[in-house]
Structure formats: structure tokens, C-alpha cells
């Protein structure tokens, strides 16, 4: 069953949000999927979210500060797996927002650990992304952004309580 949670005209950035069995997809104003919240690992207490393509800072803020936090609370998970392996956007413009707004809300909702994985081979032009991830990891406790595969990140999360 497909349920529209938010229509493009109802959001600041023009994103639309659709819920299907086991997932919540976010589409940009052009209709391209830019984010997915996936419950595939919820039985292991891990909520997964995946980013796709090019995403603007304001879209990231609207997604993470809005329906992502709501989905995390609803999932009752205590761990998050973030898949950045399929996108090309830098976190640098949203790190402060994540640190000051989203992460405290997730922590208050019961988040204990966050694992981030990226593509292994990042071109030189992605150095800003690498540095942004390091800054994010260093600024926030219980975050590990050093993984290159979903399996590695999940293994790390499984060893955390």
C-alpha cells in the first residue's frame, strides 16, 4: 500500500514523501528519489536511511529535521545506519544543524549509536565530503563514519549496546 505523507506543495523545499510497506521514500521537486528510510534491519534494532544523487542542504534539513526523526521514534530502534554510498552531496553545510538540532532530538528519542558508510573510492573532488564526515564524527559522541560497506557498519552496530 502506498500512502502520500507529504505532497510537494506542502513542504518548504518541494519534496514529497511516500510511505510503502517497510520504507519511506522522499522525492525532490523533479520527482527523483533522494532519500529512503528502510526498516529492513529493525529486528536488529537498526533503522536504515539511504541518500541518493544530489541533495540540497535545505532538503537534508527538512528531511532529517522532520519525517526522519518521526520515523526513528516510531521504529523504537536505538541505532541508525546511514548509507551515503550513492550520493555526491557534502554534509558540510548541515553539520551544525545536525549537531545542534537533529542529534539531540534523536538522542532524546533513544538513539545510542550511528554508523555511516560511504563509497570506498571517493574522487578527489569529494574531499570536502570526507572532511565534513570527519568533522561530524568528531563533534558527536557514538558516531562512527569510517565504514565502506553496509556489512561493516552493521557489524559495528551489532556490537554496541
Amino acid at each position: 500500500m502506498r500512502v502520500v505523507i507529504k505532497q510537494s506543495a506542502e513542504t518548504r523545499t518541494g519534496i514529497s514523501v511516500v510511505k510503502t510497506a517497510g520504507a519511506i521514500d522522499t522525492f525532490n521537486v523533479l520527482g527523483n528519489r533522494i532519500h529512503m528510510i528502510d526498516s529492513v534491519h529493525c529486528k536488529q534494532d537498526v533503522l536504515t536511511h539511504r541518500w541518493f544523487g544530489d541533495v540540497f542542504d535545505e532538503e537534508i534539513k527538512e528531511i532529517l529535521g522532520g519525517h526522519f526523526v518521526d520515523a526513528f521514534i516510531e521504529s523504537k530502534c536505538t541505532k541508525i545506519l546511514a548509507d551515503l554510498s550513492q550520493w555526491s552531496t557534502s554534509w558540510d553545510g548541515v553539520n551544525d544543524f545536525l549537531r545542534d538540532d537533529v542529534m539531540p532530538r534523536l538522542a532524546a528519542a533513544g538513539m545510542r549509536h550511528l554508523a555511516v558508510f560511504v563509497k570506498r573510492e571517493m574522487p578527489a573532488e569529494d574531499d570536502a565530503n570526507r572532511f565534513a564526515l570527519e568533522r561530524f564524527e568528531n563533534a558527536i559522541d557514538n558516531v562512527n563514519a569510517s565504514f565502506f560497506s553496509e556489512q561493516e557498519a552493521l557489524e559495528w552496530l551489532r556490537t554496541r549496546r
Side-chain angles (χ1 to χ4, degrees), residues 15-35:
I15 61 170
S16 57
V17 184
V18 177
K19 186 173 188 173
T20 58
I24 299 172
D25 290 307
T26 305
F27 300 89
N28 65 14
V29 71
L30 299 174
N32 298 321
R33 183 169 68 165
I34 57 173
H35 186 254

Side-chain angles (χ1 to χ4, degrees), residues 122-139:
M122 294 178 88
E125 59 266 16
D126 282 348
D127 281 348
N129 219 2
R130 187 178 354 271
F131 295 134
L133 280 170
E134 287 174 13
R135 185 174 152 237
F136 178 67
E137 181 178 29
N138 292 332

Side-chain angles (χ1 to χ4, degrees), residues 46-99:
V46 178
L47 184 66
T48 304
H49 71 116
R50 305 177 193 282
W51 293 94
F52 306 96
D54 294 315
V55 186
F56 295 110
D57 288 354
E58 291 306 311
E59 291 170 329
I60 296 168
K61 290 177 183 180
E62 185 166 9
I63 292 165
L64 293 181
H67 63 275
F68 178 73
V69 170
D70 295 340
F72 178 76
I73 292 167
E74 186 179 310
S75 77
K76 301 194 184 332
C77 292
T78 63
K79 302 169 192 171
I80 297 173
L81 174 66
D83 174 358
L84 306 185
S85 67
Q86 299 177 60
W87 84 331
S88 54
T89 302
S90 173
W91 279 106
D92 206 36
V94 297
N95 269 343
D96 292 342
F97 172 75
L98 290 172
R99 182 195 64 227

Side-chain angles (χ1 to χ4, degrees), residues 115-129:
V116 179
F117 76 96
V118 297
K119 53 189 160 203
R120 183 174 301 278
E121 300 300 324
M122 294 178 88
E125 59 266 16
D126 282 348
D127 281 348
N129 219 2

Side-chain angles (χ1 to χ4, degrees), residues 107-118:
M111 187 205 72
R112 290 192 223 136
H113 299 283
L114 167 63
V116 179
F117 76 96
V118 297

